[in-house]
Amino acid sequence: MLSLPRFAACVTTVALAAGGLAAPATAAPPGTWTVSQRGMSAQVSLVDGTPRLAVTHGGRTVLAAAPVGLRTTGADLSTGLAYVGQQRRTVVERYDMTTGKRHHRESRLAELRLSLRGAGGARLDLVVRAAADGVAYRYELPAAATITGEASAFSLPAAAPAWLLPYNAWYEQNRVATTAGGAGTGEFGYPSLFQVGDDFALLTESDADGRYSGSRLSHAAGSGEYRVTLADAAVTARRTPWRTAIVGDLATVTESTLVDDLATPSKVRDTSWIQPGKVAWSWLSDHPSPANFERQKQFVDFAARNNWYAVLVDEGWSAEWVPELVRYARARGVEIILWFHWSDLDTAEERDTVLPLVRSWGVRGVKLDFMESDTQARYQWYDAVLARTAELHLMVNFHGSTIPHGLARTWPHIMSMEAVRGAENYPLPAGNPIQAFTRNVVGSMDYTPVSIDTGIQRASVAHEVALPVVFESGWTHFADSPEAYESHPEALRYLDQLPTTWDETRFVAGHPSGGAVLARRSGDRWFLGAISAGPARTMTAPLSFLGAGRWLVEVVRDAPGPRADVVRSALVRTARDTLSVDVPVNGGFAAIACRALPGRTTCDRELQHVPTSTLGVTPMGETDTPKGSSFEVTATFRTDRAVRDLRLAPRAPAGWSVTGAAVTRRTVPAGVAVSGRWTVQVGAGSADGYVDLPIVATFGTAGWSGRVHVEQAVTAFVPPPAPTGEPYVSDLPFVAETNGWGPVERDRSVNESGGGDGNPLTIAGVVYEKGLGTHAPANVTVYLGGRCTSFTAGLGLDDEITQPGSVAFRISGDGKVLFDSGVLRPGPAVPATVDVSGVRMLTLSVTDGGDNKNFDHADWVDARLSCQS
């Protein structure tokens, strides 16, 4: 498993061009200004006070003059403007990325800043940049103002072919092939692609964050003009994002990094902790599996066998077993990523509670889902959650998200964003090639590729295997199961060799209408991916991207037979050759190329694996540890392979202290035991409830880059105050809780997945003030400390369900079942009274009644204890 180098800080060089100082206001105002870079030009005109902007490439008009400007509550800065002055400069930036088309970037942009004055002396700067791969402009105001809209637009020939995305705020529609004028009246999302003669123009935006609102393109049928429409009716800002047009041939568009070049430089100085890689993901192929600890261990084992970086545990995971899964995975060289609904982290308090907790478990990243908004408020949430995850060294994948706006340059721990109709939507193969020329141009794309046995299976197996080359994503979440991949060993062999980050990307062949062939280099190896949509054909790939000399090219193609494994063949070729491969309907192929050296028969590299190790700790099982108490722990570590730089020690939870030094060894031979002993004290500031005391061994070993982390935990229970009097359960702290949908709600129904979104508890028309709202399967445990004598509650299904459900309620004391309701369906609350004398832990459970968990909103109403005072 290869670690990325520590990335250098951004270096920016800004040079004022000769004569670039602001022109005096008394100078004769010119009517047209041009800014150019290597054949790419933007022309700004000011006619009768109305500014317009056009784009030419190689002398050819690609975007005709279209309106620019904006409107605020205080002024209309799109008309009646006068020229004040100009500045010109060249902006040269060198920076590194953790993801994307290539690690090392260098951009050179010519900049024109036009200062304009409107009615009442209102000022506006129009900042225009030209690069070899496109043009961008933005507006800057002297101070923050309330912006009510932009005049910004792009003008194209009505007959220009177009590939457009009907807008929704999660960008998961099918793209439509049409013309600029033939598209219907409506809104279209970025990026939108148009062809004007020999040139293509990809329209999007860059550097959009919480300082502004997101936008889309509005269009009237028959017109070639596309106007920028903001997500908010009004937004307070001083500066807008870049309105961006990537322009050139398909190679220029596909290889462009303009969106990143325009973005705010990185806010993360040390990126050594950021790790892209391949990720096993179970949700699509085995939908209930994220709730299944044992099934997730199988995905971990698969990832470990194949040297994949991580396992993503999607919706359904439980805090009861995730820490143990993390320990299991990290001992095998695999990291864990956890899914969250964005609303789980929509407040600063949640971000400051939940994120540090999962980081303390050893989780390395989070998938955040269902943001589904381009408003300024939601963009400010992105800013806040990215700042907090960066502080905690948690990497991020955004799902149900907006498109990339260069955000991965600003926050390099973003590993991917969805904003695509990916594999979970079972897209037809016809929609795949266009993504290489549109969505994936602007940033990493979480398509979740390589569906072999899952999904609709319309694309060939080789087409699927080629997708993670054609589609770039810093984390590539593979869509299928271990069993599917292992039943296709040649396909898996190729996937195991694939990197997910690249030193170079080249467009090789293709067209948005039917196919895409891309080559990407990692170190001294090239990977080639080719996908087609439509009839069987011969696909060709010129190998001019290869360097001089002879190359071993291993081609992976479809074999005859439905869903058969791919076959591999080896050829020796040079950069002057063209690769031709016959592909079936919706087919494709992949390849890997390396230098043809004497005796070399494959480009494959040996997979890395960590040693098998054991770490035994005592005491085992649950230990009662009141605040202020102390106890002794011991640990013994051994491994089946020699290791170096071993460190073995407990990691004290907050409020705890450890007496005794870490055990260290420079080298440890295979099979040799290393032991340690420590005294641990529970501090007065310790959290109540179950607390894990991790014992951690870290070490290095030959054939593995970075350190291996092996951990076991002593589980301690810090008793909270025992209840007294007649408290409601909803007013007590929970020792543990799990819920089948969203969190357990106190004094509210469960309703939807967000915390605090419940309705009044209502059973058969009766409203109850106190109780618990749960969703099967659910468990809530509270500490009684042997001080209570009885528990009473009403049990039933909440009236908020839209279809009948069925549940069974169970009450247990210290693991012994005290009450079982049997299966209940909608109806009046069923009373339950249970003797809990001497019970230390009371657990309230709900099961699904045997017919799945749909609509199983289960209420414990008036749930109350009778305890000693």
Side-chain angles (χ1 to χ4, degrees), residues 744-755:
V744 173
E745 298 280 5
R746 298 174 185 265
D747 304 326
R748 308 288 287 180
S749 68
V750 74
N751 198 20
E752 296 296 340
S753 62

Side-chain angles (χ1 to χ4, degrees), residues 71-118:
R71 297 173 294 277
T72 73
T73 52
D76 183 347
L77 294 170
S78 65
T79 188
L81 301 180
Y83 170 80
V84 174
Q86 65 172 298
Q87 289 182 328
R88 294 179 182 268
R89 64 176 185 169
T90 299
V91 180
V92 178
E93 292 189 323
R94 298 177 181 88
Y95 63 96
D96 291 325
M97 294 284 289
T98 57
T99 60
K101 300 168 190 176
R102 53 182 180 271
H103 289 139
H104 308 296
R105 309 285 181 87
E106 180 172 340
S107 67
R108 187 178 185 88
L109 302 102
E111 181 182 285
L112 166 68
R113 177 183 291 267
L114 282 179
S115 294
L116 305 171
R117 182 177 61 238

Side-chain angles (χ1 to χ4, degrees), residues 622-661:
E622 182 183 323
T623 301
D624 267 6
T625 54
K627 293 176 183 178
S629 67
S630 60
F631 60 99
E632 189 174 85
V633 297
T634 62
T636 301
F637 169 83
R638 59 168 53 88
T639 182
D640 68 348
R641 219 161 72 206
V643 302
R644 62 178 184 273
D645 300 325
L646 172 70
R647 185 181 190 276
L648 176 64
R651 190 173 69 234
W656 295 39
S657 61
V658 173
T659 302

